[in-house]
Amino acid sequence: MNANITVRMLQRLPLYLSYMKALSMDGAVHISATALAEALGLNDVQVRKDLAAISEGGKPKIGYAAEPLIRRLEMVLGYDNQIEAVLAGAGNLGHALMAYQGFSEYGLNIAAGFDVDEKAIGTQINGKMIYPFRMLNDTCRSMNIRIGILTVPAKEAQAVCDAFVASGIKAIWNFAPIRLKVPAGVIVQNEPMAASLAILSRHCAGTAHS
Amino acid sequence: MNANITVRMLQRLPLYLSYMKALSMDGAVHISATALAEALGLNDVQVRKDLAAISEGGKPKIGYAAEPLIRRLEMVLGYDNQIEAVLAGAGNLGHALMAYQGFSEYGLNIAAGFDVDEKAIGTQINGKMIYPFRMLNDTCRSMNIRIGILTVPAKEAQAVCDAFVASGIKAIWNFAPIRLKVPAGVIVQNEPMAASLAILSRHCAGTAHS
């Protein structure tokens, strides 16, 4: 098990986890892959495969024991151990993300923010300090930071991305509407909120095609 | 033009827009589809097709005039006219989204928030009131709201989604880690932040496969 956890699979696992947590709170002790698939509107062969890849397998007619499977999902998703991140660009969106207290559920802690704006530098959001951007490298190296959250304007995004990479960051969560160029070994996860909003708006205007 | 704007295309248009705005601020007056494709790391046939679908076309050897194309992109993306949304679930994430002042750039205004928590009801975030959840339907109907932002826990998400639909909402921006079931004519745009975080974390742990 655990040999071949693909990115597509990682996109489904949080769905299983949240559904199973809710079931478990309702007192359920076991769940079958079929019931899980049906509840989530997914293909049941797919769900069965996913669960087999991360766990010991379910028991015939009983299914999976809920608690061990929840623990296993949390482990595979990395929610069980805290990972430290930094954020660059403490504007509106960066501020909102630093103030958001829900990331701890997912094992993410934003250790510090960085900005070039003198007014932002030295302030705190949610108890986390905003440092001058020139301190990025030293901070990331000394804290062994591997995740960088990028919330600067599109125009500055590639330069900040390069600075992240130079600081040893291996995974970039990109909220800027731009395709970043990164060397091999570094991944970018895009959060295309502008595109999402455009899709929603156009649907309401009645003109979007799928 | 404008006949066939697909969802995939809507995901690329914000990239063109942000890049062209930056160029335009730098004083560029024209841009070719080839240069745009190269800068964004996209296929140039694709970019040419996209631009042809939304505009009058570029001039040979000169390319597209920047300003009219920017206006056109903003129009197609719906950024030029404001659309009103409501948000359900004024917890951590909902609070952060309501406090975020950057949505206006994309033509989105969160008119009001809804929650069942007595402590949240009656408070304001960024000048927007939190109302009791039972007022959702009346508010949406009287303001002709078409977009609903869903930031409740996964367990309550389907029930809130159903209430959105019953209130005339046609497009749901879903931040809950759950696949929502909606009737025909209603679209759901998922924002799978939990999955994004899992992908980033696992990459840093050195175990993710693509």
Side-chain angles (χ1 to χ4, degrees), chain B residues 10-31:
Chain B
L10 282 177
Q11 288 168 338
R12 291 186 295 268
L13 299 186
L15 301 175
Y16 305 157
L17 179 60
S18 66
Y19 188 79
M20 296 205 44
K21 274 186 168 174
L23 269 188
S24 171
M25 276 170 69
D26 286 343
V29 178
H30 288 88
I31 182 155

Side-chain angles (χ1 to χ4, degrees), chain B:
Chain B
M1 71 192 192
N2 210 2
N4 229 339
I5 294 173
T6 64
V7 166
R8 287 210 167 268
M9 206 173 131
L10 282 177
Q11 288 168 338
R12 291 186 295 268
L13 299 186
L15 301 175
Y16 305 157
L17 179 60
S18 66
Y19 188 79
M20 296 205 44
K21 274 186 168 174
L23 269 188
S24 171
M25 276 170 69
D26 286 343
V29 178
H30 288 88
I31 182 155
S32 72
T34 312
L36 190 58
E38 205 162 295
L40 295 170
L42 296 172
N43 178 290
D44 77 327
V45 175
Q46 179 90 82
V47 173
R48 205 174 300 278
K49 265 194 195 169
D50 288 348
L51 297 186
I54 62 152
S55 78
E56 304 291 342
K59 285 194 186 144
K61 308 216 172 173
I62 298 177
Y64 290 82
E67 278 307 317
L69 189 52
I70 288 172
R71 294 293 89 76
R72 188 71 199 139
L73 282 163
E74 287 176 334
M75 211 192 92
V76 173
L77 288 165
Y79 296 172
D80 60 337
N81 58 352
Q82 185 169 288
I83 191 156
E84 303 288 323
V86 293
L87 177 146
N92 279 324
L93 179 60
H95 197 287
L97 292 176
M98 286 185 76
Y100 178 44
Q101 303 191 356
F103 287 136
S104 60
E105 250 183 79
Y106 306 121
L108 185 85
N109 179 50
I110 304 178
F114 294 87
D115 208 304
V116 290
D117 179 6
E118 291 295 336
K119 272 176 289 188
I121 293 166
T123 64
Q124 289 194 9
I125 302 167
N126 193 16
K128 316 294 170 57
M129 186 70 87
I130 310 293
Y131 296 100
F133 189 71
R134 59 182 157 72
M135 287 177 65
L136 178 74
N137 195 305
D138 284 354
T139 311
C140 290
R141 295 290 177 189
S142 68
M143 296 184 70
N144 198 23
I145 301 281
R146 292 303 168 90
I147 293 186
I149 304 172
L150 204 154
T151 49
V152 300
K155 205 185 166 189
E156 280 97 51
Q158 185 60 53
V160 171
C161 169
D162 295 345
F164 273 167
V165 171
S167 304
I169 280 173
K170 297 295 178 205
I172 296 172
W173 201 10
N174 175 38
F175 288 82
I178 190 170
R179 300 273 169 110
L180 298 169
K181 295 179 181 87
V182 290
V186 176
I187 64 161
V188 175
Q189 182 67 25
N190 292 304
E191 219 61 51
M193 311 227 315
S196 295
L197 284 172
I199 291 163
L200 294 167
S201 293
R202 279 192 72 85
H203 177 76
C204 293
T207 42
H209 300 249
S210 63

